[in-house]
Amino acid sequence: DKGTRVLKDCLSLGGCGEVSFEETKENLSFYQGRRGEMFYSFRYPSSRDMNKEVSGTHPYDFEDSDGTRVNVKTSKPHYQDNGLKWSFTLLSPKKLKKGHQCEVYSCLCLSDNGKSVLKEYRIPVSVLGARRAIHIYDKSGGQWGSYLVDAVSL
């Protein structure tokens, strides 16, 4: 069933205007990822959206004003006995040979419905080692706690 979705104020950020696009069951994953990229472009307006500037796919999503290459990842929470967990796939099997094509991953922890960003972690590739995926738990601190972006400004 096709329908038009309207995102008001780009993930609850003031002044972002409206964006509308077609959503189908087949493109829900794309929809969630593109929503994360829209959030990033409004949060960091001086960054270049490489997917818009370069035709086709690009190995990373954004280039920040200082030249840092950023790949945006999104995840909805998974519930466990010990709390919430967000899981991020950084390298798919077909991208494994090339390795990380960015310098930083912006990992966006989404709400249950995927319509708002609860937290952002900016994790440098240099600390990932051979990891293909990471998990962020809803606990203070934790392995990735030092990479949490000020949540108040989200």
Side-chain angles (χ1 to χ4, degrees), residues 1-150:
D1 220 20
K2 287 188 177 182
T4 301
R5 297 287 293 225
V6 177
L7 304 179
K8 291 189 177 185
D9 294 325
C10 185
L11 308 175
S12 304
L13 294 175
C16 297
E18 292 186 0
V19 179
S20 63
F21 52 92
E22 293 294 311
E23 176 187 353
T24 63
K25 290 179 183 177
E26 294 82 34
N27 70 7
L28 285 175
S29 177
F30 169 80
Y31 169 69
Q32 180 176 310
R34 192 63 199 146
R35 180 176 283 200
E37 291 170 11
M38 286 188 296
F39 167 79
Y40 193 90
S41 69
F42 285 111
R43 182 170 168 83
Y44 303 99
S46 62
S47 293
R48 292 176 49 210
D49 186 340
M50 302 309 291
N51 293 311
K52 285 185 178 177
E53 289 188 20
V54 179
S55 62
T57 58
H58 203 268
Y60 53 92
D61 297 319
F62 288 90
E63 188 173 298
D64 286 347
S65 57
D66 65 356
T68 302
R69 297 173 306 194
V70 180
N71 211 347
V72 178
K73 298 293 181 178
T74 59
S75 176
K76 291 183 195 176
H78 306 280
Y79 292 89
Q80 300 186 155
D81 292 337
N82 58 349
L84 296 176
K85 171 178 90 169
W86 290 269
S87 299
F88 300 91
T89 302
L90 306 176
L91 289 175
S92 63
K94 62 182 176 181
K95 293 183 180 179
L96 196 55
K97 278 187 178 180
K98 291 185 179 181
H100 302 286
Q101 298 292 301
C102 62
E103 295 162 322
V104 171
Y105 284 98
S106 172
C107 296
L108 304 178
C109 300
L110 302 179
S111 61
D112 283 331
N113 63 11
K115 291 185 178 182
S116 60
V117 176
L118 304 176
K119 301 177 185 184
E120 179 189 13
Y121 290 81
R122 286 182 64 91
I123 302 175
V125 168
S126 61
V127 301
L128 293 173
R131 286 185 186 87
R132 293 181 10 191
I134 61 168
H135 307 286
I136 296 176
Y137 296 89
D138 193 23
K139 302 176 193 170
S140 59
Q143 181 178 11
W144 308 110
S146 62
Y147 303 104
L148 176 65
V149 177
D150 180 19

